[in-house]
Coordinates of all heavy atoms in Angstrom, one line a residue:
L1 N -32.6 26.9 -6.5 CA -33.1 25.5 -6.7 C -33.1 24.7 -5.5 O -34.1 24.0 -5.3 CB -32.1 24.9 -7.7 CG -32.3 23.3 -8.1 CD1 -33.6 23.3 -8.9 CD2 -31.2 22.9 -9.0
Y2 N -32.0 24.9 -4.6 CA -32.1 24.2 -3.4 C -33.2 24.6 -2.5 O -33.9 23.6 -1.8 CB -30.8 24.4 -2.5 CG -29.6 23.7 -3.1 CD1 -28.3 24.4 -3.3 CD2 -29.6 22.4 -3.4 CE1 -27.2 23.9 -3.8 CE2 -28.4 21.7 -3.8 CZ -27.2 22.4 -4.2 OH -26.1 21.9 -4.6
A3 N -33.7 25.8 -2.5 CA -34.7 26.3 -1.7 C -36.0 25.6 -2.2 O -36.8 25.1 -1.4 CB -34.9 27.8 -1.6
D4 N -36.2 25.5 -3.5 CA -37.3 24.9 -4.0 C -37.4 23.5 -3.7 O -38.6 22.8 -3.8 CB -37.3 25.2 -5.5 CG -37.7 26.6 -5.9 OD1 -38.2 27.4 -5.1 OD2 -37.2 27.1 -7.0
Q5 N -36.2 22.8 -3.6 CA -36.1 21.4 -3.2 C -36.3 21.2 -1.8 O -36.3 20.0 -1.3 CB -34.9 20.8 -3.8 CG -34.8 20.8 -5.3 CD -33.4 20.3 -5.7 OE1 -32.5 20.3 -5.0 NE2 -33.4 20.0 -7.1
G6 N -36.4 22.1 -0.9 CA -36.6 22.0 0.5 C -35.2 21.8 1.2 O -35.1 21.6 2.4
K7 N -34.1 22.0 0.4 CA -32.7 21.9 1.0 C -32.3 23.3 1.5 O -31.4 23.9 0.8 CB -31.8 21.3 -0.1 CG -32.2 19.9 -0.5 CD -31.3 19.5 -1.7 CE -31.8 18.2 -2.2 NZ -30.9 17.6 -3.3
L8 N -32.9 23.8 2.5 CA -32.6 25.1 2.9 C -31.4 25.4 3.4 O -30.9 26.5 3.2 CB -33.8 25.6 4.0 CG -35.2 25.3 3.5 CD1 -36.3 25.8 4.5 CD2 -35.4 26.0 2.2
D9 N -30.7 24.5 4.0 CA -29.3 24.7 4.5 C -28.3 24.8 3.4 O -27.4 25.8 3.5 CB -28.9 23.5 5.5 CG -29.7 23.5 6.8 OD1 -30.1 24.6 7.3 OD2 -29.7 22.5 7.5
L10 N -28.6 24.0 2.5 CA -27.7 24.3 1.3 C -27.9 25.4 0.6 O -27.1 26.1 -0.1 CB -27.9 23.0 0.3 CG -27.3 21.7 0.9 CD1 -27.7 20.5 -0.1 CD2 -25.7 21.8 1.0
A11 N -29.1 25.9 0.5 CA -29.5 27.1 -0.3 C -28.9 28.3 0.5 O -28.4 29.2 -0.2 CB -31.1 27.2 -0.3
E12 N -28.9 28.3 1.8 CA -28.4 29.5 2.6 C -26.8 29.5 2.3 O -26.3 30.6 2.1 CB -28.7 29.2 4.1 CG -28.2 30.5 4.8 CD -28.8 30.4 6.3 OE1 -29.6 29.6 6.6 OE2 -28.4 31.3 7.1
Q13 N -26.2 28.4 2.3 CA -24.8 28.3 2.0 C -24.5 28.8 0.7 O -23.5 29.6 0.5 CB -24.1 26.9 2.1 CG -24.3 26.3 3.6 CD -23.9 24.9 3.6 OE1 -23.3 24.3 2.7 NE2 -24.2 24.1 4.7
M14 N -25.3 28.5 -0.3 CA -25.0 28.8 -1.7 C -25.2 30.4 -1.9 O -24.4 31.1 -2.4 CB -26.0 28.2 -2.7 CG -25.9 28.6 -4.1 SD -27.3 28.3 -5.1 CE -28.6 29.3 -4.4
Y15 N -26.3 30.9 -1.2 CA -26.6 32.4 -1.4 C -25.4 33.1 -0.6 O -24.9 34.1 -1.1 CB -27.9 32.8 -0.7 CG -29.1 32.4 -1.5 CD1 -30.1 31.7 -1.0 CD2 -29.2 32.9 -2.9 CE1 -31.2 31.4 -1.8 CE2 -30.2 32.5 -3.7 CZ -31.3 31.9 -3.0 OH -32.4 31.7 -3.8
Q16 N -24.9 32.6 0.5 CA -23.8 33.3 1.3 C -22.6 33.3 0.4 O -21.8 34.3 0.4 CB -23.6 32.6 2.6 CG -22.8 33.3 3.6 CD -23.3 34.7 3.8 OE1 -24.5 34.9 4.1 NE2 -22.5 35.7 3.8
R17 N -22.3 32.2 -0.1 CA -21.0 32.1 -1.0 C -21.2 33.0 -2.2 O -20.3 33.7 -2.5 CB -20.8 30.6 -1.5 CG -20.1 29.8 -0.5 CD -19.6 28.5 -1.1 NE -20.5 27.8 -2.0 CZ -21.4 26.8 -1.6 NH1 -21.4 26.5 -0.4 NH2 -22.3 26.3 -2.5
A18 N -22.3 33.1 -2.8 CA -22.5 34.0 -3.9 C -22.3 35.5 -3.6 O -21.6 36.1 -4.3 CB -23.8 33.7 -4.6
L19 N -23.0 35.9 -2.5 CA -22.8 37.3 -2.0 C -21.3 37.6 -1.7 O -20.8 38.7 -2.0 CB -23.7 37.6 -0.9 CG -25.2 37.8 -1.2 CD1 -25.9 38.0 0.2 CD2 -25.4 38.9 -2.1
Q20 N -20.7 36.7 -1.1 CA -19.1 36.8 -0.7 C -18.4 37.0 -2.0 O -17.4 37.8 -2.1 CB -18.7 35.6 0.1 CG -19.1 35.7 1.6 CD -18.8 34.4 2.3 OE1 -18.4 33.4 1.8 NE2 -19.2 34.5 3.7
G21 N -18.7 36.2 -3.0 CA -18.0 36.3 -4.3 C -18.3 37.6 -5.0 O -17.3 38.3 -5.5
Y22 N -19.5 38.0 -5.0 CA -19.7 39.4 -5.5 C -19.1 40.5 -4.8 O -18.4 41.3 -5.4 CB -21.3 39.7 -5.5 CG -22.0 38.8 -6.4 CD1 -23.3 38.3 -6.0 CD2 -21.7 38.5 -7.7 CE1 -24.1 37.5 -6.7 CE2 -22.5 37.7 -8.5 CZ -23.6 37.3 -8.1 OH -24.4 36.4 -8.9
E23 N -19.0 40.5 -3.4 CA -18.4 41.4 -2.7 C -16.8 41.5 -3.0 O -16.2 42.5 -3.1 CB -18.5 41.2 -1.2 CG -19.9 41.6 -0.7 CD -20.2 41.5 0.8 OE1 -19.2 40.8 1.5 OE2 -21.3 41.7 1.3
K24 N -16.3 40.2 -3.1 CA -14.8 40.2 -3.5 C -14.5 40.8 -4.7 O -13.6 41.4 -5.1 CB -14.4 38.7 -3.2 CG -13.0 38.6 -3.5 CD -12.6 37.1 -3.3 CE -11.0 37.0 -3.3 NZ -10.5 35.5 -3.2
A25 N -15.4 40.4 -5.8 CA -15.2 40.8 -7.2 C -15.3 42.2 -7.4 O -14.7 42.8 -8.2 CB -16.2 40.0 -8.1
I26 N -16.4 42.8 -6.8 CA -16.9 44.1 -7.3 C -16.9 45.2 -6.1 O -17.0 46.3 -6.2 CB -18.2 44.2 -7.9 CG1 -19.3 43.8 -7.0 CG2 -18.2 43.4 -9.3 CD1 -20.7 44.2 -7.6
G27 N -16.6 44.6 -4.8 CA -16.6 45.4 -3.7 C -17.9 45.5 -3.0 O -18.9 45.6 -3.6
P28 N -17.9 45.6 -1.7 CA -19.2 45.7 -1.0 C -20.0 46.8 -1.3 O -21.3 46.7 -1.2 CB -18.8 45.5 0.4 CG -17.3 46.0 0.5 CD -16.7 45.5 -0.8
D29 N -19.4 47.9 -1.7 CA -20.2 49.2 -1.9 C -21.0 49.1 -3.3 O -21.9 49.9 -3.4 CB -19.3 50.3 -1.9 CG -18.8 50.7 -0.5 OD1 -19.3 50.2 0.5 OD2 -17.6 51.3 -0.4
N30 N -20.5 48.2 -4.1 CA -21.1 48.2 -5.4 C -22.2 47.0 -5.5 O -22.9 47.1 -6.6 CB -20.0 47.8 -6.5 CG -19.1 49.0 -6.6 OD1 -19.5 50.2 -6.5 ND2 -17.8 48.7 -6.5
I31 N -22.3 46.3 -4.5 CA -23.3 45.2 -4.5 C -24.8 45.7 -4.8 O -25.6 45.1 -5.5 CB -23.3 44.5 -3.1 CG1 -22.0 43.8 -2.9 CG2 -24.5 43.5 -2.9 CD1 -21.8 42.6 -4.0
I32 N -25.1 46.9 -4.1 CA -26.5 47.4 -4.2 C -26.9 47.8 -5.7 O -28.1 47.9 -5.9 CB -26.6 48.5 -3.2 CG1 -28.0 48.7 -2.7 CG2 -26.0 49.8 -3.6 CD1 -28.6 47.6 -2.0
T33 N -26.0 47.9 -6.5 CA -26.4 48.2 -7.9 C -26.0 47.3 -9.0 O -26.1 47.5 -10.1 CB -25.8 49.6 -8.3 OG1 -24.4 49.6 -8.2 CG2 -26.3 50.7 -7.4
Y34 N -25.7 46.1 -8.5 CA -25.2 44.9 -9.4 C -26.3 44.0 -9.5 O -26.7 43.3 -8.4 CB -24.0 44.3 -8.8 CG -23.3 43.3 -9.8 CD1 -23.0 43.6 -11.1 CD2 -23.1 42.0 -9.3 CE1 -22.4 42.6 -12.0 CE2 -22.6 41.0 -10.2 CZ -22.3 41.3 -11.5 OH -21.7 40.4 -12.3
I35 N -27.0 43.9 -10.6 CA -28.2 43.0 -10.8 C -28.1 41.6 -10.3 O -29.0 41.2 -9.5 CB -28.8 43.2 -12.2 CG1 -29.0 44.6 -12.6 CG2 -30.0 42.3 -12.4 CD1 -29.9 45.4 -11.7
P36 N -27.1 40.9 -10.7 CA -27.0 39.6 -10.2 C -26.9 39.5 -8.7 O -27.5 38.5 -8.0 CB -25.6 39.0 -10.8 CG -25.6 39.7 -12.1 CD -26.1 41.1 -11.7
A37 N -26.3 40.3 -8.0 CA -26.2 40.4 -6.6 C -27.5 40.7 -6.0 O -28.1 40.2 -5.0 CB -25.1 41.5 -6.1
L38 N -28.3 41.7 -6.6 CA -29.7 42.1 -6.2 C -30.5 40.8 -6.3 O -31.3 40.5 -5.3 CB -30.3 43.1 -7.0 CG -29.6 44.5 -6.6 CD1 -30.1 45.6 -7.6 CD2 -29.6 44.9 -5.2
N39 N -30.4 40.0 -7.3 CA -31.2 38.7 -7.5 C -30.9 37.8 -6.4 O -31.7 37.1 -5.8 CB -31.0 38.2 -8.8 CG -31.8 39.1 -10.0 OD1 -32.8 39.8 -9.7 ND2 -31.2 39.0 -11.1
T40 N -29.6 37.8 -6.0 CA -29.2 36.8 -4.9 C -29.7 37.3 -3.6 O -30.3 36.5 -2.9 CB -27.7 36.7 -4.9 OG1 -27.2 36.3 -6.1 CG2 -27.1 35.8 -3.7
I41 N -29.6 38.6 -3.3 CA -30.2 39.2 -2.2 C -31.8 38.9 -2.1 O -32.3 38.5 -1.0 CB -29.9 40.6 -2.0 CG1 -28.5 40.9 -1.8 CG2 -30.7 41.3 -0.8 CD1 -28.0 42.3 -2.0
W42 N -32.4 39.0 -3.1 CA -33.9 38.7 -3.2 C -34.1 37.3 -2.9 O -35.0 36.9 -2.1 CB -34.5 39.1 -4.6 CG -35.8 39.0 -4.6 CD1 -36.8 38.2 -3.9 CD2 -36.8 39.7 -5.7 NE1 -38.1 38.3 -4.4 CE2 -38.1 39.2 -5.5 CE3 -36.5 40.5 -6.7 CZ2 -39.1 39.7 -6.3 CZ3 -37.5 40.9 -7.5 CH2 -38.8 40.6 -7.2
G43 N -33.3 36.4 -3.5 CA -33.4 34.9 -3.2 C -33.1 34.5 -1.8 O -33.8 33.8 -1.1
F44 N -32.1 35.3 -1.2 CA -31.9 35.1 0.2 C -33.1 35.5 1.1 O -33.4 34.9 2.1 CB -30.7 36.0 0.7 CG -29.7 35.4 1.4 CD1 -28.4 35.8 1.4 CD2 -30.0 34.3 2.3 CE1 -27.4 35.2 2.3 CE2 -29.0 33.7 3.2 CZ -27.7 34.1 3.1
G45 N -33.7 36.6 0.6 CA -35.0 36.9 1.5 C -36.2 35.9 1.3 O -36.8 35.6 2.2
Y46 N -36.2 35.3 0.0 CA -37.2 34.3 -0.1 C -36.9 33.1 0.7 O -37.7 32.5 1.3 CB -37.2 34.0 -1.6 CG -38.0 32.8 -2.0 CD1 -39.3 32.7 -1.9 CD2 -37.4 31.6 -2.3 CE1 -40.1 31.6 -2.2 CE2 -38.1 30.4 -2.7 CZ -39.4 30.4 -2.5 OH -40.1 29.3 -2.9
L47 N -35.6 32.8 0.8 CA -35.1 31.6 1.6 C -35.6 31.8 3.1 O -36.0 31.0 3.7 CB -33.6 31.4 1.5 CG -33.1 30.3 2.5 CD1 -33.6 28.9 2.2 CD2 -31.6 30.5 2.5
F48 N -35.2 33.1 3.6 CA -35.6 33.4 5.0 C -37.1 33.4 5.1 O -37.6 33.0 6.3 CB -35.0 34.7 5.4 CG -33.6 34.7 5.5 CD1 -32.8 35.7 5.2 CD2 -32.9 33.6 6.3 CE1 -31.4 35.7 5.3 CE2 -31.5 33.7 6.4 CZ -30.8 34.6 6.0
E49 N -37.9 33.8 4.2 CA -39.3 33.7 4.2 C -39.8 32.2 4.4 O -40.7 31.9 5.1 CB -39.9 34.4 3.0 CG -41.5 34.5 3.0 CD -41.9 35.2 1.8 OE1 -41.6 34.8 0.6 OE2 -42.7 36.1 1.8
L50 N -39.2 31.3 3.6 CA -39.5 29.9 3.6 C -39.2 29.3 5.1 O -39.8 28.5 5.6 CB -38.7 29.1 2.7 CG -39.1 29.3 1.3 CD1 -38.2 28.5 0.3 CD2 -40.6 28.8 1.0
Q51 N -38.1 29.8 5.7 CA -37.7 29.5 7.1 C -38.5 30.2 8.1 O -38.3 29.9 9.2 CB -36.2 29.7 7.3 CG -35.4 28.9 6.3 CD -33.8 29.2 6.4 OE1 -33.5 30.5 6.7 NE2 -32.9 28.3 6.2
A52 N -39.4 31.1 7.8 CA -40.3 31.7 8.7 C -39.5 32.7 9.4 O -39.9 33.1 10.6 CB -41.1 30.8 9.5
D53 N -38.4 33.2 9.0 CA -37.6 34.1 9.7 C -37.9 35.4 9.0 O -37.1 36.0 8.2 CB -36.1 33.7 9.6 CG -35.2 34.7 10.5 OD1 -35.7 35.8 10.9 OD2 -34.1 34.3 10.9
I54 N -39.0 36.0 9.4 CA -39.6 37.2 8.8 C -38.6 38.5 8.9 O -38.6 39.3 7.9 CB -41.0 37.5 9.2 CG1 -41.8 36.3 9.1 CG2 -41.6 38.8 8.6 CD1 -41.9 35.7 7.6
T55 N -38.0 38.6 10.0 CA -37.2 39.7 10.2 C -36.1 39.7 9.3 O -35.8 40.8 8.6 CB -36.6 39.7 11.8 OG1 -37.7 39.9 12.5 CG2 -35.7 41.0 11.9
K56 N -35.3 38.6 9.0 CA -34.2 38.5 8.1 C -34.8 38.6 6.7 O -34.1 39.2 5.8 CB -33.6 37.3 8.3 CG -32.6 37.1 9.5 CD -31.8 35.8 9.5 CE -30.9 35.8 10.8 NZ -30.2 34.4 10.8
A57 N -35.9 38.1 6.4 CA -36.6 38.2 5.1 C -36.8 39.6 4.7 O -36.5 40.1 3.6 CB -37.8 37.3 5.0
R58 N -37.4 40.4 5.6 CA -37.8 41.8 5.4 C -36.4 42.6 5.1 O -36.4 43.5 4.3 CB -38.4 42.3 6.5 CG -39.9 41.8 6.5 CD -40.7 42.5 7.7 NE -40.8 43.8 7.6 CZ -41.8 44.6 7.0 NH1 -42.6 43.9 6.2 NH2 -41.7 46.0 7.0
T59 N -35.3 42.3 5.9 CA -34.1 43.0 5.7 C -33.5 42.8 4.4 O -33.1 43.7 3.7 CB -33.1 42.4 6.8 OG1 -33.6 42.8 8.1 CG2 -31.7 43.1 6.6
M60 N -33.5 41.5 3.9 CA -33.1 41.2 2.6 C -33.9 41.8 1.4 O -33.4 42.5 0.5 CB -33.0 39.7 2.4 CG -31.9 39.0 3.2 SD -30.2 39.7 2.6 CE -29.2 39.2 3.9
F61 N -35.2 41.7 1.6 CA -36.2 42.3 0.6 C -35.9 43.9 0.6 O -36.0 44.4 -0.5 CB -37.6 42.0 0.9 CG -38.1 40.6 0.8 CD1 -38.9 40.0 1.6 CD2 -37.4 39.9 -0.2 CE1 -39.4 38.6 1.4 CE2 -37.7 38.5 -0.5 CZ -38.7 38.0 0.3
A62 N -35.7 44.4 1.8 CA -35.6 45.9 1.8 C -34.2 46.3 1.0 O -34.1 47.2 0.3 CB -35.6 46.4 3.2
K63 N -33.2 45.5 1.2 CA -31.9 45.8 0.6 C -32.0 45.6 -1.0 O -31.6 46.5 -1.7 CB -30.8 44.8 1.0 CG -30.3 45.1 2.4 CD -29.2 44.1 2.8 CE -28.6 44.4 4.2 NZ -27.7 43.4 4.5
A64 N -32.8 44.6 -1.3 CA -33.0 44.4 -2.8 C -33.7 45.4 -3.3 O -33.5 45.9 -4.4 CB -33.6 43.0 -3.0
L65 N -34.8 45.9 -2.7 CA -35.7 47.0 -3.1 C -35.0 48.2 -3.3 O -35.0 49.0 -4.4 CB -36.8 47.3 -2.1 CG -37.8 48.4 -2.5 CD1 -38.3 48.4 -3.7 CD2 -38.8 48.7 -1.3
C66 N -34.1 48.6 -2.4 CA -33.2 49.8 -2.4 C -32.4 49.7 -3.7 O -32.3 50.7 -4.5 CB -32.3 49.9 -1.1 SG -31.3 51.4 -1.2
G67 N -31.7 48.6 -3.9 CA -31.0 48.5 -5.2 C -31.7 48.6 -6.5 O -31.3 49.3 -7.4
F68 N -32.7 47.8 -6.5 CA -33.6 47.8 -7.8 C -34.2 49.3 -8.0 O -34.3 49.6 -9.2 CB -34.8 46.8 -7.7 CG -34.3 45.4 -8.0 CD1 -34.3 44.4 -7.0 CD2 -33.9 45.1 -9.3 CE1 -34.0 43.1 -7.4 CE2 -33.5 43.8 -9.6 CZ -33.5 42.8 -8.6
E69 N -34.6 50.0 -6.9 CA -35.1 51.3 -7.2 C -34.0 52.2 -7.7 O -34.2 53.1 -8.6 CB -35.6 51.9 -5.9 CG -37.0 51.4 -5.6 CD -37.6 51.9 -4.4 OE1 -37.0 52.5 -3.5 OE2 -39.0 51.7 -4.3
Q70 N -32.7 52.0 -7.2 CA -31.6 52.8 -7.7 C -31.4 52.5 -9.2 O -31.0 53.4 -10.0 CB -30.3 52.5 -6.9 CG -30.3 53.2 -5.5 CD -29.0 53.0 -4.8 OE1 -28.0 53.0 -5.3 NE2 -29.2 52.7 -3.5
V71 N -31.3 51.3 -9.6 CA -31.0 50.8 -10.9 C -32.1 51.1 -11.9 O -31.9 51.6 -13.0 CB -30.6 49.3 -10.9 CG1 -30.4 48.8 -12.3 CG2 -29.3 49.1 -10.0
F72 N -33.4 50.7 -11.5 CA -34.5 50.7 -12.5 C -35.5 51.7 -12.1 O -36.3 52.2 -13.1 CB -35.1 49.3 -12.5 CG -34.3 48.2 -13.1 CD1 -34.0 47.1 -12.3 CD2 -33.9 48.2 -14.3 CE1 -33.2 46.1 -12.8 CE2 -33.1 47.1 -14.9 CZ -32.7 46.1 -14.1
G73 N -35.5 52.3 -11.0 CA -36.5 53.2 -10.5 C -37.7 52.5 -9.8 O -37.9 51.4 -9.9
P74 N -38.4 53.3 -9.1 CA -39.5 52.8 -8.2 C -40.7 52.2 -9.0 O -41.4 51.3 -8.3 CB -39.9 54.0 -7.4 CG -39.5 55.2 -8.1 CD -38.4 54.8 -9.0
E75 N -40.7 52.4 -10.2 CA -42.0 51.9 -10.9 C -41.7 50.6 -11.7 O -42.7 50.1 -12.2 CB -42.5 53.0 -12.0 CG -42.9 54.3 -11.3 CD -44.1 54.1 -10.2 OE1 -45.0 53.3 -10.4 OE2 -43.9 54.6 -9.2
H76 N -40.4 50.1 -11.6 CA -40.1 48.9 -12.2 C -40.8 47.7 -11.6 O -41.2 47.8 -10.3 CB -38.6 48.6 -12.2 CG -38.2 47.6 -13.0 ND1 -38.1 46.2 -12.4 CD2 -37.7 47.4 -14.2 CE1 -37.5 45.4 -13.5 NE2 -37.3 46.1 -14.4
A77 N -41.2 46.7 -12.3 CA -41.9 45.6 -11.8 C -41.2 44.9 -10.6 O -42.0 44.6 -9.7 CB -42.2 44.6 -12.9
K78 N -40.0 44.8 -10.6 CA -39.3 44.1 -9.4 C -39.4 45.1 -8.3 O -39.6 44.6 -7.1 CB -37.8 43.8 -9.8 CG -37.7 42.6 -10.7 CD -36.3 42.2 -10.9 CE -36.2 40.9 -11.7 NZ -34.9 40.3 -11.7
S79 N -39.3 46.4 -8.5 CA -39.4 47.3 -7.3 C -40.8 47.2 -6.7 O -41.0 47.2 -5.5 CB -39.2 48.7 -7.8 OG -37.8 48.8 -8.3
K80 N -41.7 47.2 -7.6 CA -43.1 47.0 -7.1 C -43.4 45.7 -6.4 O -44.0 45.7 -5.2 CB -44.2 47.2 -8.3 CG -44.1 48.6 -8.8 CD -45.3 48.6 -10.0 CE -45.3 50.1 -10.6 NZ -46.2 50.2 -11.7
T81 N -42.9 44.6 -6.9 CA -43.1 43.4 -6.3 C -42.5 43.4 -4.8 O -43.1 42.9 -3.9 CB -42.5 42.2 -7.1 OG1 -43.3 42.2 -8.3 CG2 -42.7 40.9 -6.4
L82 N -41.3 43.9 -4.8 CA -40.6 43.9 -3.5 C -41.3 44.8 -2.5 O -41.4 44.5 -1.3 CB -39.0 44.2 -3.6 CG -38.2 43.1 -4.2 CD1 -36.9 43.8 -4.7 CD2 -38.0 42.1 -3.0
R83 N -41.8 46.0 -2.9 CA -42.4 46.9 -2.1 C -43.8 46.2 -1.6 O -44.1 46.3 -0.4 CB -42.8 48.2 -2.9 CG -43.1 49.3 -2.0 CD -43.3 50.6 -2.7 NE -42.3 51.0 -3.6 CZ -42.4 51.0 -5.0 NH1 -43.4 50.5 -5.6 NH2 -41.3 51.1 -5.7
D84 N -44.5 45.4 -2.4 CA -45.6 44.7 -1.9 C -45.3 43.6 -0.9 O -46.1 43.4 0.0 CB -46.3 44.1 -3.1 CG -47.0 45.1 -4.0 OD1 -47.2 46.2 -3.7 OD2 -47.4 44.6 -5.1
K85 N -44.0 43.0 -1.0 CA -43.6 42.0 0.0 C -43.4 42.6 1.3 O -43.6 42.0 2.3 CB -42.5 41.3 -0.5 CG -42.7 40.3 -1.7 CD -41.5 39.5 -1.9 CE -41.6 38.0 -1.7 NZ -42.7 37.4 -1.3
L86 N -43.0 43.9 1.4 CA -42.7 44.5 2.6 C -44.0 45.1 3.2 O -44.1 45.3 4.4 CB -41.7 45.7 2.3 CG -40.2 45.2 2.0 CD1 -39.4 46.4 1.6 CD2 -39.7 44.5 3.1

């Protein structure tokens, strides 16, 4: 929501807190297969894309893609969308 409102600094803080919370709750090794965390990582990528930080955006999109492919497979709509972004 913050990113859509142009409040990019607040959005970045929110995504960072969310990822830290997921890591604390389920462990950093389990983030890649936890759907809410993957959605947050995707959102982080979108935020970096809005900020024109393409390197960070691609990194986040690649992490999300890896997770979605593990959970749903490479033919899932989210996997395909992320692959297209890369």
Side-chain angles (χ1 to χ4, degrees):
L1 180 66
Y2 287 131
D4 292 336
Q5 295 174 345
K7 299 175 182 177
L8 303 183
D9 290 337
L10 289 173
E12 187 169 351
Q13 292 172 17
M14 180 199 67
Y15 285 128
Q16 192 61 46
R17 280 194 311 269
L19 285 177
Q20 288 171 348
Y22 292 136
E23 286 180 355
K24 185 175 180 180
I26 64 171
D29 295 336
N30 297 318
I31 292 293
I32 201 66
T33 57
Y34 186 58
I35 302 304
L38 292 174
N39 289 330
T40 300
I41 293 167
W42 187 337
F44 226 152
Y46 172 69
L47 173 67
F48 288 136
E49 187 176 49
L50 289 176
Q51 293 173 330
D53 192 337
I54 303 306
T55 301
K56 286 183 181 178
R58 289 179 58 88
T59 298
M60 290 296 165
F61 289 146
K63 286 181 183 181
L65 174 60
C66 180
F68 279 115
E69 286 183 337
Q70 284 183 41
V71 174
F72 295 118
E75 298 306 314
H76 189 270
K78 287 190 175 188
S79 298
K80 288 180 180 181
T81 299
L82 281 164
R83 201 173 309 105
D84 289 344
K85 287 187 115 2
L86 293 170

